[in-house]
Amino acid sequence: VVVGGGGVGSAAAWQLAAGGTDVVLLERFAAGHTRGASHGASRIFRIGYSEPTYLRLALRALPLWRELEQESGRSLLELTGGVTHGGGEDLDLQAWALEAAGRPGRWLSHEEAVERWPGLRYDGRVYFHPLTGRLHADHTVAALQDVAARAGATVRHETPVTAIEVKGADRVDVHTVNGTYRARRAVVAVGAWSAKLLAGIVPLPPLRVTQEQPAYFAPVREDLPWPAFIHYRDPAGLEPGLPGAVYGLATPGAGIKAGFHGAGKVCDPDERDFRAEPGRLRALRRYVREWLPGADPDRVDPISCTYTTTATEDFLLDRVGPVVVGAGFSGHGFKFLPVLGRILADLAVAGTRPGDRFALPSS
């Protein structure tokens, strides 16, 4: 049984079913819901990580994205190229890591960057990498569930799981509002609801759930080219409570998406108001006015999602007895979905762990 029909759970169901496992995917809400972290029109794909572990995961994910596109018949990943700019040592670390992996990018002058993408202003140094682009989030979740079903999985929406009961090393009962499923394994990928559902079952570390509020801004010209972008700002002089990192990308049909990374207020996923906090929205509009001349700060459509984050921002990918856990992905997990599904499937079937970095406490 896979609990959670967002991106991670749907990817796990696909990989399990494709490998011949009898699997049912249970999702609490209706198809296409906006309550979690996997909805919307766009996410950034990039391999530009300074940590070799995540760089390798992104490189493993890329061919699996193309496999998913082929199997589903949907176009999901468009490589637009991406720029990272600003200060700090992270730019150097990214460049060195990519060089070491045999996938180098290149440094651009401000003049080169402005000529290619006049919708952005640039701060400090500018680093370009071609293996960067956008993913369509809603289409991805639908595609994953489609290919999982074609491979033999049963997909059931509007089926809330009320409890998970471990019965032995190879038996777990998954209780829902509609009855109980008995399985050898339960793969739990429920995002912001992880702590609520898994309390007392597995040793989770603290998980911080926040309501994030990026927004779409209308482009000033429809013909402007846009890369995906990350801006590392100098922490000195920033408004209190706002992070140094800003991300964004063009989203066809919606506008230019921009957001502060991990700046949202702590929330209960069952008590969210989905409303943009006015002060943070004003700060985001000020950022767009200063740094995105190709976007209109006065024509804005706020959006809402959740982040579920560990203290280190590392993922949790582990197994305790018959319960497999995938959690802590929000903020940078979407790009890895196909490979995360494979890792969770390997944990469920063979018990293969991806490494100590992703382990649960005392597991």
Side-chain angles (χ1 to χ4, degrees), residues 1 3 26 158-163 173-181:
V1 175
V3 184
L26 305 177
E158 299 181 273
T159 307
V161 171
T162 56
D173 288 357
V174 179
H175 302 287
T176 78
V177 294
N178 300 320
T180 296
Y181 294 83

Side-chain angles (χ1 to χ4, degrees), residues 46 208 210 212 214 230-233 241-247 258-264 284 307 309 313 329-333:
R46 64 187 177 97
R208 186 172 186 265
T210 55
E212 302 296 324
I230 296 175
H231 180 188
Y232 292 115
R233 300 182 296 166
L242 292 181
V246 182
Y247 66 92
F260 298 119
H261 176 68
L284 186 58
Y307 275 20
T309 311
E313 296 194 17
F329 304 111
S330 295
H332 72 127

Side-chain angles (χ1 to χ4, degrees), residues 241-297:
L242 292 181
V246 182
Y247 66 92
L249 70 166
T251 305
I256 310 306
K257 184 179 182 180
F260 298 119
H261 176 68
K265 61 183 179 181
V266 174
C267 71
D268 182 321
D270 292 311
E271 303 294 336
R272 287 170 60 198
D273 59 17
F274 293 85
R275 293 194 297 270
E277 194 279 315
R280 294 182 189 275
L281 181 57
R282 284 193 297 271
L284 186 58
R285 292 176 63 194
R286 283 194 295 271
Y287 176 86
V288 169
R289 184 170 283 108
E290 181 177 1
W291 292 102
L292 302 183
D296 186 342

Side-chain angles (χ1 to χ4, degrees), residues 47 55 59 62 94-95 97-105 127 129-131:
I47 67 167
L55 197 163
L59 288 172
L62 182 56
Q94 281 188 33
L98 288 161
E99 183 80 28
R103 298 297 184 102
Y127 187 70
H129 204 282
L131 287 181

Side-chain angles (χ1 to χ4, degrees), residues 1 6 17 20 84 86 89 96 126 131 139 152 174 181 185 204 210 212-213 245 249 261 267 301 315 332 336 358:
V1 175
T84 307
E89 67 174 354
W96 294 335
V126 182
L131 287 181
H139 292 176
V174 179
Y181 294 83
R185 302 284 182 267
L204 287 177
T210 55
E212 302 296 324
Q213 54 180 73
L249 70 166
H261 176 68
C267 71
D301 181 16
F315 305 153
H332 72 127
F336 302 108
F358 305 121

Side-chain angles (χ1 to χ4, degrees), residues 186-255:
V187 178
V188 182
V190 293
W193 290 269
S194 297
K196 289 188 175 188
L197 187 57
L198 291 171
I201 301 172
V202 297
L204 287 177
L207 293 172
R208 186 172 186 265
V209 178
T210 55
Q211 178 173 286
E212 302 296 324
Q213 54 180 73
Y216 294 120
F217 295 87
V220 297
R221 278 175 37 199
E222 295 293 341
D223 61 338
L224 283 180
W226 288 86
F229 61 88
I230 296 175
H231 180 188
Y232 292 115
R233 300 182 296 166
D234 186 346
L238 292 181
E239 297 174 59
L242 292 181
V246 182
Y247 66 92
L249 70 166
T251 305

